[in-house]
Structure formats: C-alpha cells, structure tokens
Amino acid sequence: MDHIAENISRIREKMALAEARAGRPAGSVKLLAATKMNDADRVRAAIAAGVDGCGENRVQELQEKLAQNAYAGAPLHFIGHLQKNKAKFLVGQVDLIQSVDSLALLSLIDRLAGERQVKQDILIEVNIGGEAAKSGVPAEQADELAGRMAEFSNVCLRGFMTIPPISTEKGGNLRFFAKMYQLYVDIRAKKYDNTSIDCLSMGMSDDFADAISEGTTMIRVGTGIFGARQY
Ligand SMILES: *Cc1c(COP(=O)(O)O)cnc(C)c1O
C-alpha cells in the first residue's frame, strides 16, 4: 500500500546506520508512526510493517480510528496539543500522552486516571527553541514540573518530548537535540517520585538521524512513512 512497508524498511536502515555511527546499540531507538490524516487501512499497513507504535495529533481523529480498531497490535500515543476539555477522551485509552505542557493539564490527567483506576504514562513536552507560538513548557521549567510529579500518584512521567524550530539548514537542530538530551539526563538522575524516565521523543522525517546522534530514544515519522499529507 503506497510503499508504506518499503518506506519503513528504508527508515529502519537509516536508523541502524545512525545508531552505529553514534556508537549506540542497534535497536535502541523506537520508531513511532505519526499517523495524522492517514486512514485506518494505512495505519494497519504501518503496524504490519513493524513500527513500534502510532502517534495521533487530534483527539477526534484518534477516536474515529480507535473505533475502527486501527491501532490493534501497537502502542498508541497522543502527540498533538491537548486541550484540557479533551483529556477525558484519552486518559486510560492511550499508552502514552506525549504532550503534557502545564501543571493544570498534569493535575487533570491525574484526577481522571484516579477516577478510572488506571496509571497514565506521560511525557512532558518541552519548547526547546523558546518559540512564542509553540506549546511545551520552557526548558527552564521542565525540572520544576517533573519535581511536582510527586503530587500525582496516578501518573507516571516517562520522559520528555520536543518539536524543535523548523530548520532549513542541515544539522540545524543538533544543538536543540543536544540541549534536550542534557535536560533528559539531568532530570532522570533526580529520580523524582512517580517518574520512571526512559523516553526522549525527538526527531521527525527530516532530522531523525541528527536526533539519533544526540541521544533520542523515539523518533516520530509521518511523511517519511506515508508520503506527503494531503491537506
Ligand atoms: C506530524 C508530526 C510528526 C511527523 O512529522 P513528519 O515531518 O511528517 O515526519 C512528528 N511529531 C508530531 C508532533 C507531529 O505532529
């Protein structure tokens, strides 16, 4: 189907090359398919071809495809901006909410998870480029928010996610990836309560090799797997 399986094997080869170049063990980076605007059949094709999980951006689209059983056999992540009034649709429904960007949202997810008697895994989204129009907590506030995890026993912080500024030059995001990796290592070392940090989600179709060289553990690839999106 539209070369989805071929695209995935080509990406796997590039991932292996980047891992080897960085002196990292083979298979240390996970491949998440960013499935927005791709229908259930295309999502199933990506899962059949062996992606490590699927990430959706919009709650409604996720619910539609979930109802079609599109994600069977793969972990499901939410990777888009999450409005507080939509959190109720995700808690206990997805394996990981990657885009927690405020104390208020964290607190709400904790309350919902408690009511539903589930433990919800999350990542904190960090606005590593300090861009005004982008969601995510400022890098300087990531540690403070991670420390507040102690108050939220129905949630487990698994790590951090970032979308760096759009870069036109080759290697343009290396310094942002490096800064994110440092933040991930530093906060992980603090072993805050209700944290079990093993995930750093960064790198997309155009820059995942650079993210791998700087220590990412999960890349999120849309275009590279499914082709250009038809808006
Ligand atoms: C769409 C999207 C991606 C994938 O982007 P591509 O450039 O198509 O690989 C990754 N992360 C998030 C949060 C996205 O919305």
Side-chain angles (χ1 to χ4, degrees), residues 91 106-116 152 154-155:
V91 172
L106 174 57
S107 167
L108 175 60
I109 291 170
D110 180 69
R111 180 168 65 71
L112 291 164
E115 285 167 11
R116 294 168 189 189
F152 304 112
N154 304 305
V155 181

Side-chain angles (χ1 to χ4, degrees), residues 54-90:
C54 296
E56 284 290 351
N57 281 73
R58 291 178 55 244
V59 172
Q60 195 188 333
E61 193 178 333
L62 180 148
Q63 287 180 295
E64 284 166 13
K65 283 181 241 177
L66 201 54
Q68 299 169 62
N69 210 21
Y71 310 109
L76 175 59
H77 295 186
F78 187 76
I79 61 176
H81 178 65
L82 181 56
Q83 292 166 285
K84 285 202 274 304
N85 62 351
K86 302 248 173 94
K88 59 177 178 284
F89 299 118
L90 296 186

Side-chain angles (χ1 to χ4, degrees), residues 32-36 56-57 79-81 98 125 161-163 201 203-206 219-225 227 229 231:
L32 191 80
T35 46
K36 59 175 173 276
E56 284 290 351
N57 281 73
I79 61 176
H81 178 65
Q98 292 206 3
E125 181 177 357
M161 182 270 244
T162 198
I163 308 171
S201 171
M204 314 201 295
S205 294
D206 290 336
I219 62 173
R220 309 177 307 266
V221 179
T223 315
I225 291 176
R229 289 178 285 273
Y231 286 97

Side-chain angles (χ1 to χ4, degrees), residues 152-196:
F152 304 112
S153 59
N154 304 305
V155 181
C156 182
L157 177 66
R158 302 298 302 270
F160 303 90
M161 182 270 244
T162 198
I163 308 171
I166 290 170
S167 167
T168 46
E169 44 177 321
K170 208 169 171 302
N173 283 329
L174 281 165
R175 67 194 175 95
F176 293 116
F177 291 146
K179 197 175 164 193
M180 257 330 283
Y181 182 72
Q182 197 56 53
L183 180 149
Y184 163 76
V185 168
D186 289 347
I187 298 176
R188 183 178 58 185
K190 298 189 177 180
K191 299 193 186 326
Y192 291 124
D193 284 350
N194 301 319
T195 71
S196 176

Side-chain angles (χ1 to χ4, degrees), residues 130-148:
E131 296 170 280
K134 214 165 245 173
S135 40
V137 301
E140 313 76 57
Q141 287 169 28
D143 185 24
E144 188 191 328
L145 190 56
R148 298 291 296 265

